[in-house]
Amino acid sequence: CYDGWCWEFSDRFSGSIINKRLPHIFDDNRPGFVLQPEAAGEAFLCAYFRDGGTMDKKCHPPGVTSSCVPGCRMPYSVWSDGMRRGKDQLKQMLEEHERDLASGARNGDRSCLQSDCFYNEVVFSAEIWTQKLPQIIEAVFFPKFSGGAEGDARSTHWRFKEQYSWASTPLLSLDLYNLEAPFELVSN
């Protein structure tokens, strides 16, 4: 995105770390990507145990500098609001996420403008993400019981395979009600 409303956010991508104990995604009606851990680690900027309000954390001009990290609160070394700045702090972030959910503090919370605010937010450098294509994308997925997400995921997957024909990137459905085996391979 080089102009319009998205330009000021073009320096980062946000995602969530999900697992059996934290099966919460930002929007269960949209497709997403499964990221390759090493490449995602190289693109990692910061993480929050809940929605980090990252759209308010802008850099001018967009991009990482010594005085600004997109989507991450400054000063970068302080994390009193749950922001974690190091990949080595992800374990603490996930544990804090679990404690926060167990406390019931998010029940009925709609401040994130989604159907629920139970997800965490991890911020990635768009510049490094782009440099790591196609290997940063391990799979394209869609939530199994969503409305139009499957069509959007198929279109995204098709365009990705067209751009990176040599990449073996599967299309998956994500069933958040089957936490023992949440991903299922989908035929094209």
Side-chain angles (χ1 to χ4, degrees):
C1 179
Y2 299 104
D3 59 10
W5 74 269
C6 62
W7 177 81
E8 61 189 346
F9 310 110
S10 64
D11 52 5
R12 88 297 286 272
F13 294 115
S14 287
S16 293
I17 296 174
I18 66 171
N19 60 37
K20 187 175 181 177
R21 295 190 313 254
L22 297 169
H24 308 287
I25 59 177
F26 177 72
D27 187 342
D28 57 8
N29 289 304
R30 305 298 311 155
F33 300 110
V34 176
L35 301 183
Q36 193 275 339
E38 185 176 316
E42 292 178 42
F44 176 89
L45 294 176
C46 64
Y48 299 86
F49 72 95
R50 58 181 358 177
D51 186 293
T54 58
M55 290 182 82
D56 293 335
K57 297 168 178 73
K58 302 171 193 157
C59 297
H60 298 285
V64 176
T65 66
S66 60
S67 62
C68 192
V69 178
C72 305
R73 187 185 23 71
M74 300 303 282
Y76 193 50
S77 59
V78 179
W79 45 270
S80 59
D81 68 352
M83 183 186 85
R84 301 290 187 226
R85 67 180 191 94
K87 294 177 285 191
D88 60 330
Q89 297 174 338
L90 288 176
K91 181 177 187 264
Q92 294 105 314
M93 182 275 285
L94 293 171
E95 289 169 349
E96 193 168 4
H97 186 179
E98 286 186 43
R99 284 191 303 274
D100 186 58
L101 290 179
S103 75
R106 294 198 214 177
N107 292 346
D109 181 2
R110 300 287 184 270
S111 63
C112 62
L113 305 178
Q114 297 300 317
S115 60
D116 71 54
C117 299
F118 294 161
Y119 56 88
N120 57 60
E121 185 170 5
V122 181
V123 183
F124 301 96
S125 162
E127 180 181 11
I128 295 173
W129 176 301
T130 303
Q131 291 170 4
K132 297 290 177 185
L133 285 172
Q135 69 267 23
I136 195 169
I137 306 295
E138 282 202 342
V140 176
F141 76 86
F142 61 90
K144 189 171 187 173
F145 301 107
S146 64
E150 181 176 353
D152 290 345
R154 285 184 182 279
S155 175
T156 299
H157 184 252
W158 181 82
R159 288 192 318 270
F160 187 84
K161 296 293 286 178
E162 186 174 59
Q163 179 75 31
Y164 304 104
S165 58
W166 65 93
S168 58
T169 307
L171 177 63
L172 306 173
S173 67
L174 171 63
D175 183 350
L176 294 172
Y177 299 102
N178 179 4
L179 299 179
E180 296 302 321
F183 288 107
E184 183 178 333
L185 187 61
V186 175
S187 64
N188 294 335

